[in-house]
Amino acid sequence: MSRIGVLGAGSWGTTLADLLARNGHEVCLWAYEPEVAESVNARRENPVYLAGCRLAEGLSATSSAAHAVRGADLVLCATPSHAVRAVLSGVAAAVPAGVICVSATKGLEPGSLKTASAVIGEVWPETRVVVLSGPSFALEVFQGQPTAVCAASRDEAAAGETQRQFSNARFRVYGSRDPIGVELGGALKNVIAIAAGILEGLGLGHNPRAALITRGLAEITRLGVAMGADPMTFAGLAGMGDLVLTATGQLSRNRTLGVALAKGQTLAEYSAAHRTVAEGVGTAQAAVALGERYGVELPICHQVSRILFEGKPPAEAVKDLMERALKMEQWR
């Protein structure tokens, strides 16, 4: 049995904490909201982010991030991408040297455009960083539906240990040596999922959705390869697998946001009515900036960013994508 600290009590962090506790580990979950920590301890439920789901008896919660990670054998980071640096910096003194830190954050840091694992490496330089990503709605994982994800690290021993800690009969973890590819796939698919929701909200059908997913994967792959990723990663769980799930599944927050945008809601109006984070919002801006930095064309991400932040009509964005200059399907 290992002692595991989990930073972030959103739906994904809570679900993974529950999974680890059911795997027999001693798990302490840090919640930003004190009322969430109190409810987990007193009533075995996270009423804000995973309502109606009774959590494992072996799971404890705290409103002190330092308490959650102190003495841990493994730390799971499941905070929103914009908060990773601040949260981890605040507890750096409590983190044991050499501990494995698993990043389950799917997004890029605003401003720096760095992946969560890169931020972790800067803030906690003595940790062994692993990226966990793949097609996995939190509710279905909690329900025990068969799920497969990927644990990626340059440190193969750390990736292997992560596989062993997280895997069970309903949650299968594959290993990977390509953390940048796995992490970019998990982040950028959220932007394409917003676009998929926009198509649905406009009343469009299966042809446009298939085209969007395919060309969206091409964008993700182009940028990933430019940043040093293995192109084959994007044909796997953290690439095509996660993209298909998030672009088509009813539980996708990013897809739901896209539907609302297509039906006339602004980003500000949608955000005011929803407490949970749609990571694709910030990632859309970051993707456009990364494309410019690496000289990679990302037309779908660019149009999604314009819809989100410039108020471009969704139907006009679809028209502009379809009327771009004709070209070869492959980029090299």
Side-chain angles (χ1 to χ4, degrees):
M1 180 179 72
S2 298
R3 185 182 189 283
I4 298 176
V6 179
L7 297 175
S11 60
W12 191 219
T14 302
T15 295
L16 289 176
D18 178 79
L19 179 146
L20 290 163
R22 294 181 191 277
N23 282 359
H25 303 300
E26 178 189 344
V27 183
C28 185
L29 172 66
W30 170 69
Y32 176 78
E33 301 91 341
E35 65 272 20
V36 170
E38 189 277 331
S39 179
V40 170
N41 290 329
R43 293 178 290 281
R44 300 284 93 207
E45 183 184 5
N46 182 336
V48 177
Y49 300 109
L50 204 64
C53 298
R54 183 168 180 80
L55 302 173
E57 295 296 330
L59 171 63
S60 65
T62 179
S63 57
S64 166
H67 175 74
V69 302
R70 188 172 289 114
D73 302 301
L74 182 147
V75 174
L76 173 67
C77 177
T79 64
S81 56
H82 68 270
V84 171
R85 188 178 297 273
V87 171
L88 270 60
S89 296
V91 298
V95 179
V99 71
I100 294 173
C101 181
V102 178
S103 173
T105 297
K106 293 187 176 183
L108 301 168
E109 184 179 49
S112 75
L113 309 181
K114 292 179 179 178
T115 63
S117 68
V119 175
I120 293 168
E122 289 180 2
V123 179
W124 293 352
E126 296 185 11
T127 57
R128 304 159 68 195
V129 184
V130 179
V131 175
L132 186 74
S133 191
S136 47
F137 285 142
L139 180 60
E140 292 191 0
V141 172
F142 178 84
Q143 292 170 342
Q145 297 195 34
T147 301
V149 299
C150 191
S153 180
R154 297 294 183 191
D155 184 333
E156 290 192 40
E161 181 62 20
T162 301
Q163 286 180 274
R164 290 186 287 274
Q165 300 277 27
F166 282 79
S167 292
N168 60 36
R170 295 286 180 172
F171 194 78
R172 182 172 176 82
V173 184
Y174 287 83
S176 170
R177 301 181 182 89
D178 184 22
I180 184 65
V182 168
E183 200 158 21
L184 285 174
L188 296 174
K189 55 88 183 181
N190 286 327
V191 184
I192 309 304
I194 294 175
I198 288 170
L199 295 185
E200 181 171 339
L202 290 173
L204 299 178
H206 300 295
N207 287 0
R209 182 168 63 183
L212 173 77
I213 291 173
T214 306
R215 296 311 303 164
L217 183 64
E219 288 193 20
I220 295 170
T221 305
R222 279 200 301 269
L223 181 59
V225 169
M227 294 176 65
D230 181 344
M232 291 305 297
T233 296
F234 302 104
L237 289 166
M240 177 58 81
D242 207 0
L243 175 59
V244 169
L245 178 77
T246 314
T248 63
Q250 298 292 325
L251 295 174
S252 168
R253 292 193 296 266
N254 292 281
R255 177 182 158 280
T256 300
L257 167 60
V259 172
L261 293 170
K263 292 184 178 297
Q265 276 195 324
T266 66
L267 175 61
E269 290 169 343
Y270 184 88
S271 299
H274 294 78
R275 188 167 183 172
T276 54
V277 175
E279 283 278 16
V281 173
T283 306
Q285 282 187 314
V288 170
L290 281 174
E292 293 173 354
R293 177 183 295 178
Y294 287 92
V296 175
E297 192 176 22
L298 305 171
I300 298 171
C301 292
H302 183 75
Q303 293 296 338
V304 170
S305 183
R306 291 196 64 188
I307 292 168
L308 287 167
F309 301 105
E310 299 176 24
K312 183 171 184 175
E316 183 181 327
V318 174
K319 178 177 179 291
D320 288 347
L321 284 171
M322 290 302 294
E323 293 181 353
R324 295 172 63 243
L326 301 178
K327 55 190 64 184
M328 301 294 287
E329 182 180 24
Q330 303 299 327
W331 76 92
R332 61 174 184 170

